[in-house]
Amino acid sequence: MITFLGDIKPVLRLFLQTRRRELLLGATLSVATVTAGIALLGLSGWFITATALAGLSATTAATFDVFAPSASIRFLAILRTAARYGERLTTHNATLAVLAALRERLFRGWASAGAARALLNRPARLLFRLTADIDALDSLYLRVLVPAAVAVGTALVASVTLGLINPLSGLLFGFCLFLTGLGLPLAAGRLALKHARRRAYGIETIRSRTIDLVAGQTDLLMANRLAAQQQAIAAADTYTAKADDRLNRIETGVSIGFGLVSTALLVAALLTSATLMQTGTITAPVAALSVLVAFAATEPFAALRRGAMEFGRTILAAKRIAPRLSAAQADFTPKAPSRELAFALQNVTVSHHGAASPALREVALELRRGEHIAVVGSSGAGKSTLLSLLSGELPPSAGMAAALDATLLTQRTELFQDTLRGNLLLAAPDAGDDRLRDALAAAGLLADVDALPSGLDTPLGEGGMGLSGGQSRRLALARLFLRDTPLWLLDEPTEGLDGRTARDVLHRLALRAGGRALVIATHIRREAALADLIAVITDGRITEVSRRGEAAFEKALDRLRPD
Amino acid sequence: MVSAFFDAREQQQVEMPAVGVAARKPANTNRRLRSAAMLQALAAALWIPQAGILARSVGRLADGVGLGDMFWPAVFILLLGMVKSCLDAVGGRLAFRAARSELSEKRANAVRLLARLSPVDAGRPASGEAASVLGEQAELIVPYLSRFRPARMKASFVPLVILACIFPISWIAALVLLFAAPLIPIFMALIGWRAQAASQKQLIATSSLNAFLLDRLRGLATIRSLDAVDATALKLRSEAESLRTRTVAVLKIAFLSSAVLELFSALGVAMTAVYVGFSLLGEIRFGAWSGGLDLSQGLFVLLLAPAFFEPLRELSAVWHDRASGEAALKALDGIAAESMTLADRDKTGKLAVDAAFALRVENISFRYRPDQSPIFEGFDLDLAAGEHVALLGASGTGKSTLLSLIAGLAPCSEGRIIIGGASADRGHMAWIGQRPHIFAGTVAGNIALGRPGISKTEISKALDLAKLGGVAKAYGHSPLGEGGIGLSGGEALRLTIARAACDPDIRIILADEPTAHLDAETAAEITESLLALAEGRTLIVATHDPLLAARMHRTIRLDTEHLQEAAE
């Protein structure tokens, strides 16, 4: 129970920070709805019994005040309706507000350097897990917290009502209600935790094996493993089904428990009322009232049942998400180099987490301001690692790294679901249309944009869908052009473009670079030809640095892929 | 945590035969669901006798009987309550198990269909889409079948029974309830589409929020580099807030339906109570059949009033399970609809080891879609065993398609492929694709692919041949990144060469543009590995690379007429 709270605390804190008042109001209205229902039924029972007794003789029947009780009954009916409507609206509004806050916070959590790299390595799985976890947390308030609040509120109201009639029985009743209402779901949540986790893993496995089946179909088919892969998916389904079955058993146990407790409380109320009536402590209408209150007070159990099961999944989600909510922001930004340099690396070694050998070994390299350097080498030699180091995504594990403020043009064009303008404004939030158009013109995309019916306001799809490969790259280039940092890092800037487009893009890049320093990671000749220096990197080591005009420079160029 | 994953994978071989779910007919699932729903409806109806005993007991208490007379009623209420809980639980379990086995079946069926699709068909579902349909979306079938169906049964059965019990006591009370739930079917439809609209609106709102978040997380490197983390976070927030405002505006109207349900159910109870009260006082003298109501009857009616509305409320609570469940069923059934399938290749049995593996392509025709022009029409090709051939030609002339047809990745509409005189099977072929898929797992696991009878020695030989020893050492026993992240294009290709190298049965190697997108050095190395692999085997390479083509025995140029053949 204590570890439960520990896991869920960061999430709860976030919830409360966002919409404390609304969250509480929603819970209160929920309690009010249920309480009005209890009062309605209790009062109705009292009224019927009282009228029956009064109706026995004509005189009492004539003097019986029917107005107050019947008006109260109607009032409670209206109150219940209004409270229900208000509750639904408030709780949903509060949930949506909390979701907004949760997503913002998670984004910030993932946007720290260390987390961002972890995400880069396993994007699909991590993003899927993240979505599933967020969805689980979405239901925390509506499905778990509100029903729990209602259970507590109802237990209080019912025990006070019954306590006014007879303190001891009220106390006992409230205690039972409280214990079952919170204890059973908590116990179930605890039991369910393990199976909820297994189920989540099972579904993830079904997912990843299905991806393997579809994306690796040719490889599997030719190795005669297609049938085995189908079996592997079926096995993951069996695994999930087992966990599912355990969860369902727990849920069934909870509902049996609730059912038995409801019946027991009802019988207890009947017998207590009979006892109290025998001793003359209460009258028949009050006895009817307490039986009906006991009956109605178990209503919140129904909502708790589903919440109890979601609780296990929610804890799992909270456990996984919490580190991102309170992550200390990792900052690997390199310090500034001395005056005339763009970057300086002294005996820098970089190791990726978990890798057997370092990605960069004792690299010593400098670049003066305004100079262009090409870093060449086969894929996997450490080019991208070098760029990550310079852009502050990775810390050196040994040695000293210093670099000017840099902007990275990633190898894969990364555009976003937004308008063209929105995509550009990321680089320069205050830029006016003139500056944007200027950058687009420099990237050779202005004519294309002007040809679009909505121009800069044209929306792009997920990941920038809607543009051709060349257009996407030019847009990324225009975005780079808007960044006035003294160092630009370009990771294979024209990979995947046809020769003509590529040469045009490179030409524009050279024009626009001005006095900036450039680092170009490449294995294509046309890209390296832009540079003043070529550094050859093999297995994480710089094996050769040559300057334009030297024989080694031309030789290094000749080894690269012609286009 | 991770071990849980691999547990499932390790167990697969052992457990599978048992899982081979005896193909049950869907009718069976429906029958099981129906009986489960009946049990649960029966359990709900058991409240009627409970309420009857309870009402009578309170009535007798008012008449002045003592505690002793309460013993048997209490026992009966308790017993009925137990039976009720048990019936409900048994029904719930039955429904769950029927629903869960239906899910397993649907899933297995979808997997079977997916596996049969031709990988060269562009209309095939993307792996991500297939994964989300088979993974999390398919899970929604269970709540739909196991919760919604029983709830619907309860809602159409229990209120009627209650009405039938109240009617003999007081026709006017029955009438009040009937009016409070005006024409149940219409009412349900009203709640139905209102609630559905509401939940869908909310679903769309949350999923578009998730899409926004994922879209930005995918491009995090760029956002960080542009110093736009803060701006993006704020934009995410404002987007979420504006979505909230819009959604709440819709919910304000949509929730009216649940308020109406609440109003009717509360008014139903209130009106029943007031009517019963006034009739007990003697101020109302109509509605009951004879001589007015007594207290027990009145209480009985009052206790049944909330139970009358309960199933309706329950139904509206699970309504959103229906839309998502039906969508999931549709997606699962339609995942592999109307697409090209793999060529049927019955195993022809093992050819003798020394059999001649001459390859004959006989008069084949193929087109991707009926409305497209044919790629091949009456095409023939003969290859001697052990021959190395390069297929050349501009993009779109059918180099890759020809390889696919030989491998049986797509069916020829006419003609056939013959190896050593028998119709071809894939057992003796290896495929070296441009972008091989890297599976989650170690380097060695990716080479063996779980094929039985591949020893460690064979794997290390294959690693040597493909010059992959360094990578295998660097990764050791740690798994490769998702989809081969961290492996370069060249290394991924080497991996497929190693995959082929450890199967001694391979006689024919089909390589689809193996050196495309590689730098010159890597391309040269791959060429050497490929030739080493192809020693004594037939090799067919589709390529644009003149250096690779020059290393073959002969080149075949495919042009738009497909029939020009140039021997070298």
Side-chain angles (χ1 to χ4, degrees):
Chain A
M1 167 108 186
I2 290 164
T3 51
F4 272 19
L5 288 180
D7 291 333
I8 261 184
K9 223 172 171 178
V11 181
L12 285 184
R13 200 180 304 133
L14 173 68
F15 279 22
L16 285 178
Q17 274 168 7
T18 347
R19 289 285 167 128
R20 184 193 298 266
R21 272 232 305 269
E22 222 165 344
L23 292 170
L24 293 180
L25 180 66
T28 315
L29 280 173
S30 290
V31 176
T33 310
V34 175
T35 311
I38 296 173
L40 174 62
L41 219 53
L43 188 61
S44 301
W46 178 88
F47 180 64
I48 288 180
T49 317
T51 48
L53 293 181
L56 290 178
S57 83
T59 38
T60 45
T63 54
F64 187 80
D65 173 22
V66 289
F67 180 73
S70 66
S72 304
I73 287 173
R74 280 182 298 234
F75 167 74
L76 283 170
I78 305 288
L79 178 69
R80 180 170 166 111
T81 309
R84 170 74 78 194
Y85 183 72
E87 170 225 323
R88 296 212 71 181
L89 215 53
T90 320
T91 53
H92 279 77
N93 191 22
T95 307
L96 286 169
V98 160
L99 299 192
L102 185 65
R103 278 161 181 76
E104 186 202 344
R105 190 70 83 76
L106 275 174
F107 176 77
R108 288 183 189 274
W110 278 106
S112 76
R117 272 204 74 82
L119 191 63
L120 217 56
N121 221 358
R122 321 206 68 178
R125 170 158 277 175
L126 280 180
L127 290 180
F128 166 69
R129 186 177 282 187
L130 186 64
T131 328
D133 285 346
I134 293 179
D135 285 344
L137 286 186
D138 284 355
S139 67
L140 176 64
Y141 174 66
L142 265 183
R143 293 261 172 83
V144 180
L145 295 181
V146 168
V150 171
V152 173
T154 313
L156 280 177
V157 171
S159 67
V160 167
T161 313
L162 295 181
L164 287 177
I165 298 164
N166 179 272
L168 181 65
S169 66
L171 206 63
L172 278 177
F173 187 82
F175 182 70
C176 279
L177 213 53
F178 191 76
L179 202 67
T180 350
L182 285 189
L184 217 51
L186 266 178
R190 206 189 163 85
L191 279 177
L193 183 57
K194 180 174 147 203
H195 304 293
R197 191 169 60 212
R198 290 186 158 215
R199 179 167 179 270
Y201 281 127
I203 296 172
E204 275 177 33
T205 311
I206 292 175
R207 265 187 74 87
S208 60
R209 289 183 186 174
T210 306
I211 288 178
D212 281 348
L213 175 82
V214 177
Q217 194 193 9
T218 309
D219 304 80
L220 289 167
L221 181 71
M222 298 309 289
N224 196 22
R225 297 301 291 167
L226 204 52
Q229 186 68 21
Q230 285 171 252
Q231 289 188 347
I233 297 175
D237 178 66
T238 312
Y239 181 88
T240 316
K242 244 186 215 163
D244 241 352
D245 191 62
R246 297 313 272 273
L247 287 174
N248 183 258
R249 272 192 223 175
I250 296 170
E251 185 180 348
T252 309
V254 171
S255 71
I256 289 188
F258 281 153
L260 292 184
V261 171
S262 307
T263 313
L265 285 178
L266 190 59
V267 171
L270 178 66
L271 292 180
T272 317
S273 305
T275 317
L276 292 176
M277 266 191 77
Q278 207 168 22
T279 56
T281 323
I282 59 171
T283 56
V286 177
L289 178 131
S290 41
V291 169
L292 279 161
V293 165
F295 163 60
T298 55
E299 190 198 307
F301 283 171
L304 269 171
R305 194 177 106 178
R306 205 156 168 178
M309 297 322 294
E310 308 231 344
F311 192 44
R313 180 69 186 87
T314 307
I315 292 169
L316 175 64
K319 237 183 190 158
R320 296 202 291 213
I321 278 183
R324 292 274 82 82
L325 290 179
S326 48
Q329 300 275 316
D331 186 14
F332 307 138
T333 315
K335 59 186 177 58
S338 64
R339 239 161 175 241
E340 68 280 10
L341 293 179
F343 72 77
L345 305 177
Q346 290 164 13
N347 292 324
V348 168
T349 298
V350 176
S351 305
H352 290 302
H353 181 72
S357 48
L360 287 182
R361 302 163 203 240
E362 294 167 15
V363 167
L365 192 63
E366 282 183 358
L367 184 72
R368 267 180 276 172
R369 293 195 183 195
E371 279 191 332
H372 304 169
I373 187 170
V375 181
V376 305
S378 57
S379 0
K383 301 191 298 277
S384 295
T385 308
L386 184 69
L387 293 190
S388 297
L389 175 75
L390 292 175
S391 58
E393 293 295 321
L394 268 178
S397 47
M400 293 276 283
L404 290 175
D405 194 13
T407 305
L408 171 71
L409 180 71
T410 53
Q411 188 179 346
R412 196 171 54 88
T413 306
E414 293 180 333
L415 298 176
F416 302 100
Q417 186 166 15
D418 200 342
T419 56
L420 279 172
R421 180 185 280 109
N423 268 287
L424 288 170
L425 285 180
L426 270 183
D430 309 323
D433 273 13
D434 287 344
R435 220 180 124 201
L436 300 186
R437 291 173 63 82
D438 174 54
L440 283 171
L445 194 63
L446 188 59
D448 293 30
V449 172
D450 282 341
L452 293 169
S454 355
L456 275 172
D457 292 316
T458 307
L460 299 185
E462 191 182 317
M465 259 184 344
L467 296 180
S468 73
Q471 288 173 328
S472 300
R473 203 59 183 163
R474 286 176 195 275
L475 185 58
L477 205 63
R479 197 169 54 186
L480 174 74
F481 290 167
L482 288 166
R483 290 280 295 176
D484 196 18
T485 54
L487 177 60
W488 282 353
L489 309 170
L490 314 171
D491 197 351
E492 307 196 1
T494 61
E495 176 65 43
L497 297 185
D498 66 80
R500 227 182 48 180
T501 314
R503 275 186 292 276
D504 183 54
V505 162
L506 284 174
H507 174 67
R508 290 169 184 282
L509 195 56
L511 277 182
R512 191 76 180 193
R516 287 184 186 84
L518 297 186
V519 181
I520 310 161
T522 181
H523 55 77
I524 307 178
R525 189 189 164 111
R526 63 182 179 227
E527 292 178 355
L530 222 64
D532 309 309
L533 289 146
I534 294 183
V536 181
I537 185 164
T538 319
D539 276 341
R541 288 179 202 279
I542 303 272
T543 49
E544 182 191 291
V545 181
S546 54
R547 188 166 278 277
R548 183 178 291 280
E550 295 171 10
F553 186 90
E554 291 304 321
K555 258 167 99 182
L557 272 186
D558 285 341
R559 281 202 300 270
L560 296 175
R561 194 175 92 197
D563 42 358
Chain B
M1 317 249 129
V2 182
S3 70
F5 257 40
F6 292 107
D7 285 351
R9 191 173 268 267
E10 299 320 325
Q11 285 161 15
Q12 79 200 34
Q13 257 48 344
V14 196
E15 270 182 29
M16 265 321 290
V19 186
V21 196
R24 264 182 242 101
K25 283 176 194 151
N28 200 345
T29 307
N30 274 333
R31 214 188 57 225
R32 288 163 74 193
L33 281 175
R34 212 174 18 247
S35 45
M38 301 267 250
L39 280 181
Q40 291 200 307
L42 191 64
L46 276 186
W47 170 244
I48 300 172
Q50 267 187 310
I53 300 172
L54 196 63
R56 197 167 151 63
S57 307
V58 176
R60 292 185 63 204
L61 276 182
D63 290 344
V65 302
L67 181 61
D69 291 310
M70 288 298 110
F71 177 73
W72 285 112
V75 168
F76 279 124
I77 293 175
L78 210 55
L79 278 180
L80 279 171
M82 283 174 175
V83 174
K84 185 178 172 216
S85 293
C86 289
L87 277 184
D88 190 55
V90 171
R93 284 289 291 161
L94 267 183
F96 168 78
R97 289 169 70 159
R100 191 61 187 73
S101 66
E102 179 78 1
L103 166 63
S104 286
E105 251 168 71
K106 290 269 181 207
R107 220 177 229 156
N109 193 41
V111 167
R112 204 158 38 237
L113 291 175
L114 269 181
R116 279 191 59 232
L117 290 185
S118 165
V120 303
D121 184 4
R124 196 172 71 126
S127 60
E129 185 198 336
S132 76
V133 170
L134 258 76
E136 65 275 13
Q137 203 186 355
E139 290 289 321
L140 300 174
I141 293 177
V142 177
Y144 165 52
L145 293 181
S146 68
R147 288 200 194 121
F148 178 76
R149 293 274 189 88
R152 192 174 55 186
M153 168 84 89
K154 253 189 238 176
S156 48
F157 166 71
V158 178
L160 288 180
V161 175
I162 289 177
L163 222 48
C165 291
I166 294 179
F167 189 71
I169 297 168
S170 160
W171 58 267
I172 202 157
L175 213 60
V176 164
L177 290 182
L178 203 59
F179 269 114
L183 300 173
I184 291 170
I186 295 174
F187 192 45
M188 267 167 58
L190 181 82
I191 304 158
W193 45 261
R194 280 302 189 190
Q196 194 169 349
S199 72
Q200 252 165 11
K201 281 281 186 257
Q202 211 190 339
L203 223 63
I204 291 168
T206 14
S207 75
S208 70
L209 262 189
N210 279 349
F212 186 102
L213 177 62
L214 296 192
D215 184 61
R216 294 323 193 250
L217 283 178
R218 268 187 216 112
L220 207 49
T222 295
I223 289 178
R224 280 182 50 75
S225 175
L226 298 176
D227 289 328
V229 171
D230 209 45
T232 309
L234 291 178
K235 172 126 201 225
L236 177 63
R237 185 60 177 267
S238 73
E239 198 92 341
E241 287 294 332
S242 89
L243 264 172
R244 182 176 64 84
T245 336
R246 270 178 286 154
T247 314
V248 168
V250 176
L251 291 181
K252 267 182 194 160
I253 299 164
F255 283 154
L256 279 178
S257 74
S258 71
V260 167
L261 179 58
E262 198 64 45
L263 180 67
F264 278 132
S265 100
L267 276 187
V269 175
M271 282 162 69
T272 310
V274 172
Y275 158 73
V276 172
F278 276 87
S279 104
L280 285 174
L281 270 181
E283 296 196 0
I284 294 178
R285 300 222 173 267
F286 60 94
W289 298 110
S290 61
L293 295 171
D294 67 14
L295 175 57
S296 298
Q297 285 173 327
L299 277 175
F300 179 59
V301 172
L302 179 69
L303 281 171
L304 287 191
F308 177 82
F309 294 98
E310 189 50 38
L312 289 175
R313 222 186 278 163
E314 204 177 308
L315 185 64
S316 80
V318 296
W319 195 273
H320 69 271
D321 287 336
R322 190 181 91 130
S324 48
E326 278 177 352
L329 280 175
K330 211 163 126 193
L332 268 183
D333 288 339
I335 193 159
E338 290 173 39
S339 293
M340 191 193 291
T341 57
L342 294 168
D344 284 323
R345 289 262 165 110
D346 295 325
K347 275 256 169 190
T348 46
K350 278 218 164 175
L351 294 170
V353 183
D354 54 351
F357 282 90
L359 177 79
R360 246 188 96 71
V361 173
E362 226 176 63
N363 192 31
I364 57 164
S365 300
F366 177 77
R367 58 181 81 200
Y368 278 99
R369 277 200 223 146
D371 54 337
Q372 280 174 348
S373 58
I375 308 278
F376 293 104
E377 215 161 12
F379 180 81
D380 288 299
L381 184 68
D382 267 304
L383 289 177
E387 201 177 6
H388 294 181
V389 172
L391 299 176
L392 298 177
S395 325
T397 48
K399 301 186 299 292
S400 301
T401 309
L402 182 56
L403 291 184
S404 305
L405 290 174
I406 294 174
L409 300 183
C412 310
S413 52
E414 272 167 57
R416 54 186 189 148
I417 315 261
I418 297 172
I419 297 176
S423 56
D425 74 61
R426 299 187 191 95
H428 301 282
M429 291 184 194
W431 179 271
I432 316 265
Q434 246 182 77
R435 287 193 187 80
H437 181 71
I438 310 295
F439 295 87
T442 60
V443 174
N446 255 291
I447 291 172
L449 287 183
R451 285 173 287 186
I454 289 182
S455 66
K456 273 194 178 154
T457 3
E458 272 167 310
I459 290 180
S460 69
K461 263 192 214 160
L463 282 173
D464 286 345
L465 184 136
K467 302 207 175 60
L468 206 58
V471 176
K473 214 189 231 162
Y475 277 94
H477 291 292
S478 54
L480 296 173
E482 183 183 277
I485 290 171
L487 278 193
S488 67
E491 286 164 346
L493 261 173
R494 288 174 197 283
L495 202 66
T496 38
I497 292 178
R499 272 178 199 164
C502 61
D503 186 348
D505 286 343
I506 298 292
R507 285 290 168 270
I508 296 171
I509 298 157
L510 308 167
D512 188 11
E513 307 208 21
T515 55
H517 307 295
L518 296 179
D519 57 278
E521 207 175 327
T522 315
E525 286 168 7
I526 291 285
T527 306
E528 294 311 319
S529 295
L530 194 58
L531 286 170
L533 171 70
E535 213 176 288
R537 292 165 167 155
T538 310
L539 171 65
I540 311 174
V541 183
T543 187
H544 287 290
D545 180 357
L547 294 175
L548 176 61
R551 305 289 300 273
M552 301 293 115
H553 300 151
R554 104 174 129 125
T555 57
I556 294 169
R557 189 166 289 280
L558 296 177
D559 62 16
T560 34
E561 273 87 49
H562 294 123
L563 292 170
Q564 253 182 38
E565 198 171 309
E568 221 173 70

